[in-house]
Amino acid sequence: TTESDPGPAAGGPAPAPAFLGDTMRRYLAALLTAATVLTASCAQALPSDTTTPDGAALRLPLDDYQHSPTQALTVTNAYRVLLIRCARRHGRTLPITSSPRPLVGPRTWMERRYGLTDAADAASYGYGLGPRDPARHPPETPDLDPATIAVITGTGDKAPPGGCQEQTRKALAMAPAGADPSLPQHLSMLSFQRSRTDHRVQTAVKEWSACMRAAGHSYANPFDPIADPAFRDGTSEKELATARTDLACKKRTNLVGVWLSVESAYQRRMIAQNATALQEAKRANQTILRLAQAALDAEMRAPASTSGGSPAN
């Protein structure tokens, strides 16, 4: 098996995560960025198997180097806990809770990477995510007074250097000098964009689209039905029927198998080209996760009177 030049990238920006609402995001733009950071073409034959793998079971080579969504949530929850503690040490009480937030969105990075792939979810929720639907978990939108903002951002005379956001970031970012924990995420986004423009994937997508069209559904790619405004609550029979047809067409065309094989080849090439940096990123992410879990464990052991948050005076 030999790998050829995967060609030019068609990269795009990563979606910005939501956290504590517009007011908090205005003053703490780096908050979730910090928490998240703490968090090729191939000549081989494509698989002939026409089964559609369970989306929750799919894996790509770069998954071994980055936090899973569940692990990223652990880091985010720890960030919240440490931020609340820091603000309290400086006389401010953040109007957010230290209680762990639930997992919202896909359970793995692969679950919706190639469109709908989970048969059980499709049968119950169509294109929705059921209990993990972000619409069911609105972000907190606290109003922060100037004194609290100063402590968090480090802009006040009595604020800690860099503010609590910087102190919290450092508490979870004990990585080796020069290590970039976000490198696996960056390469993963790049491999997705490259694989999406690969002629083999485009051929499989066209075959899937033709299969859907034969069943009365006009979608150019497997992401279109997910974004279809006709599907909102995940319970209509039309949506459930479309989701079943979608999965049947993926099985018939082997779209998921083709895409997974192609993108895996791109990622293996990237890993070979960035071996040292990725190993450093992996170790850094392991350290970040360990520190985050330790922070959450300490919060669980803390007396009830010292945990949580309430509106600042």
Side-chain angles (χ1 to χ4, degrees), residues 38 67 175-176 179 181 279-289:
L38 297 172
H67 293 146
Q279 284 298 330
E280 291 176 348
K282 182 176 182 177
R283 287 192 293 270
N285 280 318
Q286 290 172 337
T287 298
I288 291 163
L289 184 61

Side-chain angles (χ1 to χ4, degrees), residues 7-14 186-197:
H186 170 73
L187 294 178
S188 183
M189 288 188 291
L190 188 60
S191 71
F192 173 76
Q193 295 295 343
R194 289 183 175 180
S195 67
R196 190 174 184 178
T197 61

Side-chain angles (χ1 to χ4, degrees), residues 9 11 19 31 81 85 95 113 129-130 132 156 186 253 267 288 313:
F19 188 44
L31 183 64
V81 165
R85 289 183 193 169
R113 193 175 187 91
L129 291 169
R132 293 175 286 116
H186 170 73
T253 61
Q267 289 201 0
I288 291 163
N313 295 325

